[in-house]
Amino acid sequence: MPSSADTTDDEVAEVAEATGRTGPTAAAGGAGEDHPAPRRPGKAGRRVAAAVSVFGELLITTGLVLGLFVAYSLWWTNVLANQEAQRDSSAVRDSWEQTEGGGDDAAAVYDAEDGIGFLHVPAMAEGDILIKEGIDLDTLNGGVAGYYDEPVRSAMPWDRDGNFSLAAHRDGNGAKFHHIDRIEEGDAIVFETRNTWYIYTAYAVLPETSKYNVRVLDPVPEESGVTEPGRYITLTTCTPVYSSKYRYVVWGELERTEPVDENRTPPAELRDS
């Protein structure tokens, strides 16, 4: 009796005709199984797939929009603010050149809206920072620092005593105090007016305090460790970086003043930086 290995082509054809199968399954005596074609998803499945696709595209679009917003907030606003600050700074220096030098700063007439002078802090490496009146966003967004006009009125550097208190942005809109955390005790803080260089020395740092803590602006800022009237300077900004939750504070005390010469030669603290 012939074995399965001896099955002829005619026999295979007969099996295929009888069973409706062709190919290897018929040759094996019908042992194979039928494999039905995959079913196409129904309408409900197609709707779910479409919804998932749309949702994914929305997530990608949202991510791109957020990325552009961050780039605008942290880079482009710096570009615009620095351009505005440069124009205003040039205007202040031009006005100084057109005004007869010498005299007492206390008696000089300053347009606080245009700017009263320039802050130099070598540790922050920000160059000269124009100082204007006020700490509102319209002022600070111009890439400058402002002296407090509320809730505590700042003293001026030329006053006999008091606290010359300043604020500026930590990030975006010029970010003039971005590197405030680089200031250490003993570092120089210099304020330049038309007639005078005011040279302060940083003596205390408060890395974090409540944004509502106005005691740091007191004429005698006791939180810095001093108890007697003097001629102080206070720098404040937001912390941590990219957040306005707390305030970072640096205090300095006036060491000396130097008159501005005809060449506006900076003090040694700036020449050596």
Side-chain angles (χ1 to χ4, degrees), residues 19-53:
T19 62
R21 297 172 180 162
T22 60
T25 57
E33 297 292 336
D34 287 335
H35 297 283
R39 296 177 60 188
R40 297 180 62 186
K43 291 184 178 180
R46 290 196 295 272
R47 291 195 189 99
V48 171
V52 170
S53 176

Side-chain angles (χ1 to χ4, degrees), residues 140-203:
L140 300 186
N141 285 355
V144 304
Y147 64 82
Y148 279 83
D149 53 353
E150 60 176 356
V152 177
R153 183 78 180 181
S154 171
M156 292 292 104
W158 47 83
D159 291 342
R160 185 171 62 181
D161 56 50
N163 188 359
F164 183 39
S165 47
L166 309 174
H169 284 306
R170 187 84 181 271
D171 52 80
N173 296 290
K176 294 307 181 183
F177 283 2
H178 184 75
H179 296 302
I180 193 173
D181 57 320
R182 295 181 180 178
I183 303 176
E184 299 178 350
E185 294 181 22
D187 285 344
I189 301 173
V190 179
F191 184 65
E192 171 193 4
T193 67
R194 188 186 72 191
N195 300 321
T196 308
W197 299 96
Y198 297 85
I199 299 96
Y200 299 82
T201 299
Y203 68 86

